[in-house]
């Protein structure tokens, strides 16, 4: 079910990137610290454009689990002021400075058109090569769904708009993965308490 979820989330992102408000707020601060609205929009767009690039590349030969993918990435736990996260913002800001909201929306629409064909056609055993490791294609798409859903919310808030509706299957996939990451970071008991016992809940069970 992750492939339809990915395409649904990609469609939602592409629609949001067509919002006229984005043109007006391109250079304004976003809801995220040290991220302009344009930089955030570019980072959101990357989840489609980079997926096109990864799927067009040669397959990998070995894969790790999706949980290992996140736990092996330093940015997951290093905080917004870490070198990894600063570099993510820097690259997105640089890319945003060389484009416009309209051109970015056109780029994303072209990527989405391609993905509608390539994503359903990927063999189940395809391994996406990410450089340091690989992921099974559906696990890779799950990582993109998480990025899309989280950053669609960020961008919508930055534009003063409500979070676009997401299908339950898409939201469910994100919740399941983020819950697993939260348990890895904070321990299963803290996650259970946060969900079931407010009086004993920890301050945070944030996955990222």
């Amino acid at each position: 079910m992750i492939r339809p979820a990915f395409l649904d989330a990609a469609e939602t992102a592409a629609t949001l990137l067509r919002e006229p408000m984005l043109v007006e707020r391109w250079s304004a601060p976003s809801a995220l610290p040290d991220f302009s609205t344009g930089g955030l929009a570019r980072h959101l767009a990357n989840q489609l454009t980079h997926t096109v690039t990864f799927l067009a590349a040669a397959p990998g030969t070995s894969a790790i689990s999706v949980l290992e993918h996140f736990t092996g990435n330093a940015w997951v736990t290093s905080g917004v002021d870490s070198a990894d996260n600063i570099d993510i913002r820097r690259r997105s800001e640089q890319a945003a400075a060389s484009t416009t909201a309209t051109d970015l929306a056109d780029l994303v629409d072209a990527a989405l058109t391609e993905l509608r064909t390539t994503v359903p056609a990927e063999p189940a055993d395809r391994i996406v090569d990410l450089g340091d490791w690989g992921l099974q294609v559906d696990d890779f798409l799950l990582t993109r769904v998480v990025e899309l859903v989280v950053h669609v919310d960020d961008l919508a808030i930055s534009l003063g708009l409500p979070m676009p509706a997401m299908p339950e299957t898409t939201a469910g996939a994100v919740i399941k993965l983020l819950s697993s990451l939260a348990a890895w970071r904070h321990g299963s008991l803290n996650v259970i308490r946060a969900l079931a016992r407010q009086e004993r809940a920890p301050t945070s069970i944030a996955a990222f």
Side-chain angles (χ1 to χ4, degrees), residues 92-112:
S92 295
E93 293 293 341
Q94 289 175 343
S98 63
T99 190
T100 66
T102 301
D103 288 344
L104 184 62
D106 288 342
L107 185 67
V108 166
D109 285 347
L112 181 57

Side-chain angles (χ1 to χ4, degrees), residues 4-5 19 51 54 73 81 112 116 140 160 184 207:
E19 279 289 339
T51 298
F54 280 121
N73 264 307
D81 294 325
L112 181 57
R116 289 192 187 107
F140 169 72
W184 169 75

Side-chain angles (χ1 to χ4, degrees), residues 45 51 60 63 68 81 85 131 133 150 155 162 180 183:
T51 298
E68 288 175 303
D81 294 325
N85 283 301
W133 54 71
V150 169
L155 184 58
S180 296

Side-chain angles (χ1 to χ4, degrees), residues 125-142:
D125 61 352
R126 163 73 191 273
I127 295 174
V128 179
D129 185 2
L130 301 179
D132 292 332
W133 54 71
L135 288 173
Q136 292 281 349
V137 64
D138 286 353
D139 283 344
F140 169 72
L141 292 173
L142 175 57

Side-chain angles (χ1 to χ4, degrees), residues 166-179:
M166 289 280 181
E168 284 301 317
T169 52
T170 305
V174 174
I175 291 169
K176 182 178 179 180
L177 179 54
L178 291 182
S179 298

